[in-house]
Amino acid sequence: MSVRAVGTPGRIDVMRPWLGTEEAEAVADVIASGWVAQGPRVAAFEHAFAARMAVGHAVATSSCTTALHLALVVAGIGRGDDVVVPSFSFIATANAPVYVGARPVFADVEGDTGNVSAATIAAALTPATRAVIVVDQGGMPVDLAPIRALCDPRGIAVIEDAACGVGSEYRGAPVGAGADVAVWSFHPRKLLTTGEGGMLTTSNAEWADRARRLREHAMSVSAADRHASLLAPPEEYGEVGFNYRMTDLQAAIGLVQLGRLGAIVGRRREFAARYASGLAGVGGIRVIGDPPHGRSNFQSYWIEVLAEYPLDREGLLARLAEAGVSARRGIMASHRQPAHRSRDTGSATLATTDRLTTGTLILPLHHALDGDDLDRVVDVIRTAASET
Ligand SMILES: *Cc1c(COP(=O)(O)O)cnc(C)c1O
């Protein structure tokens, strides 16, 4: 039995994971090995990921959300602490502080990048702020140095939610490497996928060790190590942990995907440039590009529909859908969701967040598209622009 490929002829999907026969063969090897839970492939994936991201330690997890939870635990964040987070992010960013009993405080973002900055974070600081979670939103690298200059003297931990950031660069280095701890997602909506999965990276060896234990019930000896010895040593549980493990099946896929990363990013950057030049000069449409401080992987290529455009965001989405183009609303704003509606924002307003979340949309971008597909998308936006 085979599963039919997603995608209908003529329809342009917003995203598709880049998976091939190499991934299928890697999974078949794991099954043949007889060890499918967390084991040697997870260890190999962690090693390769740490090297690629230029950071000392990598700890694989079941998702980015669980990695975020562990990041806050190892950073010592808990009850009574405030954590500054952008509202303009997937809901997991705002949820994580709540898992450890802390309080998320929402910061606004900059309009050109969709990211928090030292200025927007400063406005959201409270006397209880102990950590910030910065996000490389849609793959756009966050400007970390000024944020560290703000946070370090105040003893505020900098956690980078690099869920969308794999393959993006900040000042010539991979994003995430400059944070106290960074977390990554391998959900199929992201650029590198293991089905579900995540990673925590840090240059702090103690934090990495603790995260490694916490993801496996805080067991003193890993299940893989116990299995490897004939007479398993007795294990001990020093604190309350979790089951946040990745499987070797997922890690085998991840290893292949990591080898594909350069090609994935290269293709996305090529397509982003084609969108940017195709949409240049279209009245009422603002396009994104690399910020001065880095290079985006363009995981999400978004545009802003300005007031002078004849259609609003919803109208343009509908027009694209009529043409068989599956675009998406831009990034959500957590402060508008019932789960987080009554949160504090320090002295910050969320004006830019509100503007971007109502006025932006994400255009289709994946490896299986070609130049003609992109031109078709551009054409719909261009044609609608000349209506009155
Ligand atoms: C996707 C995403 C997450 C969640 O990742 P999972 O691996 O699905 O848990 C967290 N933060 C941001 C910014 C994301 O885009």
Side-chain angles (χ1 to χ4, degrees), residues 63-65 68 89-90 92-93 135 137 161 163-164 185-187 190 196-197:
S63 71
C64 181
T65 303
L68 258 178
S89 184
F90 181 60
T93 311
V135 179
Q137 193 49 258
D161 181 345
C164 310
S185 173
F186 308 129
H187 182 273
K190 320 299 182 182
E196 292 275 3

Side-chain angles (χ1 to χ4, degrees), residues 282-360:
V282 176
I285 295 292
R286 181 172 74 90
V287 300
I288 55 164
D290 284 326
H293 56 259
R295 280 157 65 95
S296 177
N297 62 12
F298 292 108
Q299 184 208 273
S300 295
Y301 190 86
W302 53 269
I303 59 173
E304 182 173 3
V305 184
L306 303 171
E308 55 264 40
Y309 194 77
L311 302 170
D312 64 6
R313 191 266 308 269
E314 299 301 314
L316 181 53
L317 273 174
R319 186 63 60 86
L320 286 162
E322 280 164 29
V325 177
S326 176
R328 287 286 179 274
R329 287 181 189 83
I331 309 302
M332 61 173 293
S334 295
H335 77 279
R336 295 179 164 209
Q337 295 302 318
H340 293 290
R341 203 167 269 153
S342 56
R343 300 280 178 213
D344 196 2
T345 61
S347 58
T349 67
L350 301 176
T352 305
T353 298
D354 281 323
R355 195 191 92 211
L356 293 181
T357 203
T358 51
T360 57

Side-chain angles (χ1 to χ4, degrees), residues 270-281 287-289 301 374 378 382:
E270 190 188 305
F271 282 170
R274 189 163 180 134
Y275 270 142
S277 65
L279 293 169
V287 300
I288 55 164
Y301 190 86
L374 267 64
V378 167
R382 209 173 249 289

Side-chain angles (χ1 to χ4, degrees), residues 114-200:
N115 284 336
V116 290
S117 65
T120 70
I121 290 170
L125 293 180
T126 70
T129 305
R130 296 264 326 275
V132 301
I133 303 178
V134 302
V135 179
D136 303 293
Q137 193 49 258
M140 192 65 75
V142 66
D143 193 3
L144 204 66
I147 293 172
R148 293 230 64 141
L150 172 76
C151 293
D152 291 356
R154 292 170 174 78
I156 297 170
V158 177
I159 298 170
E160 189 165 342
D161 181 345
C164 310
V166 68
S168 295
E169 288 175 8
Y170 177 60
R171 295 187 171 177
V175 298
D180 290 313
V181 51
V183 293
W184 312 77
S185 173
F186 308 129
H187 182 273
R189 177 65 185 86
K190 320 299 182 182
L191 208 132
L192 187 158
T193 190
T194 59
E196 292 275 3
M199 193 76 82
L200 176 153

Side-chain angles (χ1 to χ4, degrees), residues 226-247:
R226 276 190 306 142
H227 189 79
S229 49
L230 276 173
L231 182 61
E235 71 274 17
E236 191 179 62
Y237 303 88
E239 60 181 319
V240 174
F242 313 93
N243 178 358
Y244 286 170
R245 284 174 301 217
M246 176 183 276
T247 69

